[in-house]
Amino acid sequence: MAKNVMLKFVDVARDMPDKRPPDLRRQDFGEIYGEYAREKAAEQAGRCSQCGVPYCQTHCPLHNNIPDWLRLTAEGRLQEAYELSQATNTFPEICGRICPQDRLCEGNCVIEQSGHGTVTIGSVEKYLTDLAWENGWVKPIVNGGERSESVGIIGAGPGGMAAADVLRRAGVQVTIYDRYDRAGGLLTYGIPGFKLEKDVVMKRVAQLEQGGVQFVLNCDVGVDISFDAIRGKHDAVLIATGVYKTRDLAAPGAGAQGIERAIDYLTASNRKSFGDDVAEFDTGRLDAKGKKVVVIGGGDTAMDCVRTAIRQGAESVKCLYRRDKVNMPGSQREVANAEEEGVEFVWLSAPKGFTGDTVDGVMVQKMRLGNPDATGRQMPELIDGSDYIEQADLVIKALGFEPEDLPKLWGVEGLEVSRWGTVIANFTTHETSLEGVYACGDIQRGASLVVWAIRDGREAAEAMLEYIAAADTIAAE
Ligand SMILES: Cc1cc2nc3c(=O)[nH]c(=O)nc-3n(C[C@H](O)[C@H](O)[C@H](O)COP(=O)(O)OP(=O)(O)OC[C@H]3O[C@@H](n4cnc5c(N)ncnc54)[C@H](O)[C@@H]3O)c2cc1C
Ligand code: SF4
C-alpha cells in the first residue's frame, strides 16, 4: 500500500500552503500561510522517499518520527498520523509554524539534497495538529491518580510548559511562576502573530490549566517571592526563565531617545494585539507608524522587528547587518518574507554612532568580508572613508540576548553558572549544581529555539519524576 502513495517526489513538485499576498499581509498581524486542504496535505506527504536512515528525524531536536506520520498522512489515516506526531512533541502545531525547518528537519531531507525540493514537513505537522484540535483528537491532560509531590517551575515559556505537561500527566502537582501577566513566554510576547497567532498559544495554556497546572502570574521570582521560598514549597524546582538581557551598543549617541530594545518593541506590539492598553505604544514611543525605522541586527529577532514595523505603517524600514545575506544568522525564509513585504536590507553595514538627542540618524560604516575567524566565518572589516548617515526616527537594537545573573538576582548560593551566565546543568537530566533543582531551555543553552526548549522541558520532567520517586523510596525506608 505504501508503495502506491509514497515516493512521489519526482512527479509532484514541492508546494507550500498558499501565502497571503504581501499587500494584504502588511495590513494585519494574521499568519501569512494558509492551511493545506486535505488532498494537498496527502499529496505533499506522499513526496517523502521513506529513507531507511531518515536524516530529517535525526536533525529534528525531538526526533519526531517524521517518515511514519508522513506515510499515514498520505494514506489518509490522519488521526493516527496526529497521534504519532504528538507522541514526541508537546506542541506540534507551534513547531510546525515556527521551527526554522530549513536548518533542521527539512534542511536535511534527502530529496532536497537530490534537487527535488524538500518535503514540507513543518506544514504537514501544523496541518495535522490544527485538524486534531478541530476534530477533538487533542486529549485533555489526565492522569491515573493524583500524587502528593509537587514541582515548582519558574518560567511559563515553552520549556516550562512542556515540563508541566509531562509532570501533570504523571499526577504530580505543578505550579508555574511567571513575572508576566500571561503564560507562554516568548511564544506570547516575543514572537509576532504573523508567525504564530496568539490563540494557538492560549489554547495550550488553557489545556494546561484545565489539566490542573496552577499558574502564579505577575510573580517575579527574586522580587515577589524568593527562590528559596519556592524551593522550600516544592519537592523539585525547574528553572525555565529564558534569556532577556539585551546585548547593547557602545557607540556614541546610543543613549538617545528613540533607540529602543527589540524585546520592548515586540512585547508592546504583541500586547496591543491582545487589546491591552500599552502606554509606551499609545504615546507613540514604541509605535513605528509614519516613522523611518532602522533595525540593527541580522537574526530572527531583527526579522520580527522589521516585519512588525511594516505592519504598524512605518514610512520606511531598513535592516542594517554587518555581514552579507549569505552569512546572516536569520532564517532565509524569513528574510524572503521581509523583502516581499517591503523591508530594505542594508548589507555589510554597521552603526558607528547616532545623531540627535532624539535620534534622527544612524552613522553607518560600510564593511567588507575579510579572513575567516576560528569558526570559519568571514570576519567583517571596515572600509575606510565609506561612512554615511542613514536617516532614522526609530532605531531598534536586535543584537541578541544574554542570561540575567540569576545567582546574584536571586541571592542563591551554590547555583553554578557558566561564564556566559547560563545555568550549568546536565544536558540529559538537566540537573543543576543544587540538589532537586533543574534547568531547561534558553537559560541552560543560551538564546536558542522553541523546539529545543520543548525537548529540554520534557527531558527535565522525566528526570524530576525519577528524582521524586527515588526521594520517596528513601523516605519510606
Ligand atoms: C523575537 C524572537 C523571535 C523568535 N522566533 C523564534 C522562532 O521563530 N522559532 C524558534 O524556534 N525560536 C524563536 N525564538 C527563540 C525562542 O522564542 C526561545 O528559544 C524559546 O522561547 C525559549 O523558551 P524558554 O521556555 O527557555 O524561555 P522563554 O520563552 O523566554 O520563557 C521564559 C519565561 O520565564 C519568565 N521569567 C523570566 N525570569 C523570571 C523570573 N525572575 N520570575 C518569574 N518568571 C520569570 C519570563 O517571563 C518568560 O515567560 C525567538 C526569540 C525571540 C526573542
Ligand atoms: S519539531 Fe521542528 S524540526 Fe522537528 S519535525 Fe517539526 S518542524 Fe521539523
Side-chain angles (χ1 to χ4, degrees), residues 56 59-64 66 69 89 92 95-96 99 101 104-106 121-122 125 451:
C56 55
H59 288 269
C60 164
L62 293 161
H63 301 312
N64 282 344
I66 300 163
W69 50 253
N89 191 351
C95 292
C99 271
Q101 285 100 7
L104 300 170
C105 53
E106 295 180 12
I121 299 168
E125 190 178 28
V451 65

Side-chain angles (χ1 to χ4, degrees), residues 151 163 167 236-238 438 459-469:
V151 169
L167 291 163
V237 173
L238 177 65
Y438 295 73
E459 283 178 348
E462 294 296 344
M464 284 189 283
L465 289 174
E466 279 185 29
Y467 170 77
I468 290 169

Side-chain angles (χ1 to χ4, degrees), residues 82-250:
Y82 160 71
E83 295 291 351
L84 197 59
S85 125
Q86 64 81 46
T88 48
N89 191 351
T90 319
F91 309 126
E93 73 283 28
I94 294 178
C95 292
R97 285 171 163 85
I98 58 165
C99 271
Q101 285 100 7
D102 48 355
R103 306 205 301 259
L104 300 170
C105 53
E106 295 180 12
N108 291 278
C109 172
V110 165
I111 65 170
E112 162 92 339
Q113 321 277 324
S114 63
H116 290 286
T118 170
V119 178
T120 51
I121 299 168
S123 302
V124 176
E125 190 178 28
K126 165 181 180 278
Y127 164 77
L128 285 174
T129 321
D130 286 351
L131 193 72
W133 278 107
E134 275 166 36
N135 287 279
W137 304 337
V138 179
K139 305 262 177 358
I141 298 171
V142 285
N143 58 59
E146 293 293 341
R147 295 169 59 164
S148 59
E149 303 93 336
S150 77
V151 169
I153 298 177
I154 309 173
M161 295 209 307
D165 180 277
V166 174
L167 291 163
R168 274 307 291 149
R169 286 178 199 274
V172 171
Q173 308 309 310
V174 178
T175 306
I176 308 189
Y177 304 84
D178 201 290
R179 63 184 169 198
Y180 283 143
D181 56 344
R182 290 185 180 91
L186 289 171
L187 301 176
T188 298
Y189 284 138
I191 300 170
F194 50 81
K195 277 165 57 182
L196 176 64
E197 282 175 10
K198 299 304 152 191
D199 60 340
V200 177
V201 183
M202 291 304 129
K203 247 191 308 200
R204 287 296 181 180
V205 174
Q207 186 196 28
L208 288 167
E209 272 171 341
Q210 284 151 17
V213 173
Q214 302 287 324
F215 285 92
V216 181
L217 300 174
N218 296 306
C219 177
D220 194 345
V221 175
V223 177
D224 300 310
I225 184 172
S226 72
F227 176 73
D228 285 341
I230 290 182
R231 223 179 148 198
K233 276 182 186 221
H234 301 284
D235 297 280
V237 173
L238 177 65
I239 303 174
T241 49
V243 291
Y244 285 87
K245 200 165 88 189
T246 299
R247 285 199 193 118
D248 229 329
L249 281 166

